[in-house]
Amino acid sequence: MALGCPYGTHRVLGPLGVFPQPAKFINNDFSTLYDNEIVIEVEVLNIDSASFSQIKNQAQEDPAKIAQIILETVIQRGKQHNPVTGSGGMLIGKVKTIGSALQSRPLNVGDRIATLVSLSLTPLHITEIIAVHKDVDQVEIRGEAILFESGIYAKLPEDMPQKLALAVLDVAGAPAQTAKIVKPGDTVVVIGGGGKSGLLCLHEACKRAGVTGKVIGISHSEAGVARMKESGLPVIPLQGDACDALWVLHQIKSLTDGKLADLTLNMVNIPGTELASILATRDKGIVYFFSMATSFTAAALGAEGVGKDVTMLVGNGYTEGHAEIALAILRENPRLREIYERTYA
């Protein structure tokens, strides 16, 4: 039996000694497989929002150029690991092979699954890019990927289309973490509230803060504000630029009688919103940075520079039960499901 490292370090080509995610190059040659690997026939890549925004800008919105950038990244690095943003995304596909050491798992060849680990650490080989759906950050491909022994995944639900499930599972960590940290009566600000992760977080924030709480959503676009209103959630929607930290501060002060937020959730896919998140939050409050566009240097030094004593959390894409929590939101909120189907799937 040929066993690889459960965390996939046996496929790291360089630099040696690091794990697959920070590695610059990993082995995506599937001619030799290990007994604790799962091979997936990939159907769709869901590129994370920060990464796809960067790729679209680089490609000047041209789908052919977007496809070429993705192909070149995978050829060079053995994985879809954006060298600019450092992030990846996730995928859906059909289980092709289950290593002999993993046969006891509740998984069968032919099962359709979504991986819940980043593409930035997933060995990937692309045979062909079939279509680029730039409005929903998804790319249809023919190819194969490997899930390591430690890799987490979810079987796709039968009560919703696979692209809809993928869009939700891509950001499942955000609403699940929101569910853990929002308390009854909290005042919550969601920056990027009209986006893919933001809408799910608004649902959980409203649910957990309850009737004694207050939830404020900020979106840069009219469309994002419209989505917040359409969701049917008891949210106070604001339209404005979260890069303008003083604007955000004045708005939140006004809406909270100067008390500011107990918890601010940052869900945007652009840099430069760290200080707004910090200023919107009361002393001893919590700032949760889910966005891969976050500069943690800017956040740490920014909080120090304005004398703000806040707890800052890094957005972990995984928390126990995150897939189930995220999918349950669309079952609980038909309006939100309709928005997702129309906008992200």
Side-chain angles (χ1 to χ4, degrees):
M1 179 179 289
L3 290 176
C5 169
Y7 304 110
T9 58
H10 58 283
R11 285 197 174 266
V12 172
L13 298 177
L16 295 179
V18 304
F19 276 60
Q21 198 286 323
K24 291 185 177 179
F25 312 103
I26 62 175
N27 180 0
N28 65 345
D29 179 0
F30 299 164
S31 60
T32 300
L33 298 172
Y34 291 79
D35 293 321
N36 56 342
E37 294 181 332
I38 295 171
V39 181
I40 304 164
E41 291 182 8
V42 184
E43 298 169 355
V44 180
L45 304 178
N46 197 100
I47 310 297
D48 90 90
S49 182
S51 175
F52 206 77
S53 293
Q54 184 277 321
I55 293 170
K56 284 194 294 186
N57 288 336
Q58 182 180 339
Q60 298 179 315
E61 301 281 342
D62 183 340
K65 291 181 180 178
I66 291 172
Q68 187 60 35
I69 291 169
I70 292 171
L71 279 172
E72 289 176 356
T73 299
V74 173
I75 290 169
Q76 291 170 5
R77 311 197 77 171
K79 54 181 178 172
Q80 174 46 43
H81 185 183
N82 187 315
V84 179
T85 65
S87 53
M90 57 181 293
L91 62 84
I92 56 174
K94 189 182 299 182
V95 175
K96 180 180 180 181
T97 305
I98 303 173
S100 59
L102 304 179
Q103 292 293 322
S104 62
R105 293 198 171 184
L107 190 67
N108 299 303
V109 170
D111 283 349
R112 185 164 273 107
I113 64 171
T115 60
L116 300 178
V117 292
S118 175
L119 291 175
S120 66
L121 61 83
T122 302
L124 175 66
H125 174 77
I126 297 178
T127 303
E128 177 188 7
I129 290 185
I130 300 169
V132 173
H133 303 289
K134 62 181 185 179
D135 294 333
V136 293
D137 303 347
Q138 293 183 357
V139 182
E140 293 182 45
I141 74 162
R142 290 191 182 91
E144 293 183 335
I146 282 179
L147 190 67
F148 298 128
E149 183 178 347
S150 61
I152 53 177
Y153 59 88
K155 291 184 181 180
L156 292 178
E158 297 181 356
D159 61 341
M160 61 184 69
Q162 66 176 21
K163 288 185 180 179
L164 175 62
L166 180 59
V168 175
L169 292 171
D170 178 45
V171 294
Q177 294 284 2
T178 301
K180 286 172 61 175
I181 58 181
V182 175
K183 304 185 298 297
D186 274 352
T187 294
V188 183
V189 172
V190 182
I191 297 178
K196 184 161 65 170
S197 57
L199 288 166
L200 299 179
C201 291
L202 286 176
H203 176 96
E204 283 300 322
C206 291
K207 179 178 176 181
R208 309 291 172 166
V211 295
T212 59
K214 178 180 289 184
V215 179
I216 302 164
I218 300 175
S219 176
H220 186 265
S221 68
E222 291 183 8
V225 170
R227 286 191 289 269
M228 288 191 280
K229 292 178 179 178
E230 187 184 348
S231 71
L233 296 168
V235 174
I236 300 171
L238 295 176
Q239 182 179 354
D241 184 359
C243 293
D244 186 343
L246 285 177
W247 176 84
V248 172
L249 172 62
H250 293 150
Q251 293 293 320
I252 303 307
K253 266 189 172 181
S254 175
L255 290 169
T256 61
D257 296 324
K259 296 178 181 178
L260 302 179
D262 299 296
L263 169 65
T264 297
L265 311 172
N266 188 315
M267 302 291 142
V268 298
N269 60 6
I270 59 169
T273 61
E274 295 85 0
L275 194 53
S277 306
I278 292 162
L279 287 174
T281 311
R282 65 171 174 81
D283 278 336
K284 311 299 184 184
I286 297 173
V287 183
Y288 175 67
F289 291 107
F290 184 73
S291 169
M292 292 295 103
T294 300
S295 164
F296 295 102
T297 302
L301 297 181
E304 176 185 292
V306 296
K308 222 35 183 324
D309 182 6
V310 293
T311 298
M312 293 186 283
L313 304 179
V314 178
N316 186 348
Y318 171 70
T319 189
E320 186 176 355
H322 70 322
E324 293 79 6
I325 290 171
L327 292 170
I329 292 172
L330 295 196
R331 298 184 181 111
E332 294 172 8
N333 190 329
R335 290 190 189 179
L336 209 51
R337 174 168 177 160
E338 184 180 339
I339 294 169
Y340 252 73
E341 289 176 334
R342 183 179 70 243
T343 310
Y344 303 112

